[in-house]
Amino acid sequence: MRGIYERSEGLKWQIQLGNSRYSPLEEERLVRTFLSQKPAGLIVSGLDQSETTAALLTAADCRIVQIMECGPSPYDLMIGFFPFRRFRGGHTPPAGSRLSQAGLYRRPARPAQPAPPAGLSRRRPAGRRSRSRPHRHHPRPSTVTLGCELLADLLSRAPDTDSILCNNDDLALGAMFECRRRGLNIPQDIGICGFNDLEMMAAASPSITSVRTYRLEMGRQSMQMMLDALAGSEPDRPVIDLGFEVIARESTRRSVG
């Protein structure tokens, strides 16, 4: 949102915000409301809209930019990243490669993940499914407290787990706290990797490995794509992949021997 506001500052366009809170019905309601106001354009997060919302966006008489994850069939324009496309046909994500490189971690697992209908959160574990233990979805939203509880549940079911991949950084932080309570050494006893690379990942002790996505730049460029489209300038590429980066930190620096 900050990136969107940066690009629109001082211009004639007014921005309205809608938060679906990962509810498909609320997203549909918001899209209907905004479309009834005849907007110049919509910026929509994620790919997995309901059939009804997808039909509304397909028929919308305005420009649309989708942000966060990228896919093969944008409604109009799209900017974000392909989470697993470049990693062995979609089967080994960067975080999984980081945890398993050089054979340092052999028993990776995932705590049960929050299961919002938004595409990005649902798709993150998919690339890991073939190479690590099955995960379960949890109905509660992602929090640090939930990260503690999920790791405790995971270790009760799979006590030999030596590394975990978390859907969000707050879960990873909670997992670290639970490891501390149990006297587990990070990264020797268990490695931890989060997703989003929020500020707290670098500030934690030990610092936590995470997958960095360029969300501020997504906001800036999505707004610029919209402004260009409204000015009649079509982009050379309707889909822009900004990529991502694994930021390796102490939580996965396991020593050999």
Side-chain angles (χ1 to χ4, degrees), residues 1-256:
M1 288 189 292
R2 191 176 79 202
I4 289 170
Y5 275 108
E6 282 182 8
R7 277 289 187 268
S8 62
E9 186 174 0
L11 302 179
K12 67 178 182 178
W13 305 106
Q14 296 294 316
I15 295 174
Q16 296 185 66
L17 300 177
N19 182 1
S20 70
R21 301 185 300 280
Y22 299 116
S23 165
L25 291 177
E26 179 63 12
E27 182 178 47
E28 178 184 331
R29 189 191 71 80
L30 286 168
V31 169
R32 286 186 185 278
T33 298
F34 288 146
L35 289 178
S36 71
Q37 298 172 3
K38 305 297 183 183
L42 291 175
I43 296 177
V44 181
S45 180
L47 299 180
D48 288 344
Q49 285 76 33
S50 68
E51 290 186 10
T52 300
T53 301
L56 289 170
L57 293 173
T58 300
D61 186 24
C62 67
R63 304 308 300 260
I64 297 172
V65 180
Q66 289 167 269
I67 61 172
M68 287 307 293
E69 61 176 338
C70 290
S73 303
Y75 298 112
D76 185 0
L77 305 172
M78 181 180 288
I79 183 167
F81 65 98
F82 290 91
F84 307 115
R85 184 180 63 176
R86 296 197 182 98
F87 293 87
R88 301 184 188 179
H91 294 297
T92 303
S97 298
R98 175 68 63 185
L99 287 173
S100 62
Q101 68 179 349
L104 296 182
Y105 295 102
R106 299 181 182 276
R107 297 180 297 279
R110 296 179 305 281
Q113 307 289 4
L120 182 57
S121 291
R122 287 200 306 192
R123 292 171 190 271
R124 285 175 194 161
R128 299 192 278 267
R129 191 163 295 131
S130 64
R131 292 183 179 268
S132 59
R133 305 178 189 198
H135 70 284
R136 300 178 299 145
H137 285 304
H138 196 284
R140 288 162 52 192
S142 176
T143 64
V144 174
T145 299
L146 182 61
C148 298
E149 296 172 7
L150 294 182
L151 181 61
D153 175 68
L154 172 65
L155 293 179
S156 71
R157 294 181 290 107
D160 62 338
T161 296
D162 67 359
S163 55
I164 59 170
L165 308 175
C166 297
N167 230 26
N168 289 301
D169 285 339
D170 49 6
L171 295 179
L173 191 63
M176 184 193 76
F177 291 153
E178 184 63 23
C179 287
R180 289 282 187 84
R181 275 192 284 271
R182 291 168 175 260
L184 295 174
N185 179 275
I186 304 169
Q188 289 302 110
D189 296 331
I190 190 167
I192 299 176
C193 180
F195 197 104
N196 280 324
D197 195 35
L198 301 179
E199 181 185 8
M200 60 188 177
M201 295 295 96
S205 181
S207 56
I208 301 176
T209 294
S210 189
V211 179
R212 177 179 295 172
T213 56
Y214 303 104
R215 291 166 297 154
L216 177 61
E217 193 59 26
M218 287 179 205
R220 290 169 175 160
Q221 291 198 35
S222 67
M223 190 62 194
Q224 190 61 55
M225 292 173 77
M226 179 66 72
L227 293 172
D228 291 344
L230 295 177
S233 176
E234 294 298 321
D236 295 332
R237 296 174 294 155
V239 178
I240 297 178
D241 179 9
L242 293 179
F244 53 87
E245 182 181 3
V246 178
I247 307 299
R249 297 191 178 95
E250 295 167 339
S251 68
T252 56
R253 291 176 185 164
R254 190 183 199 186
S255 61
V256 180

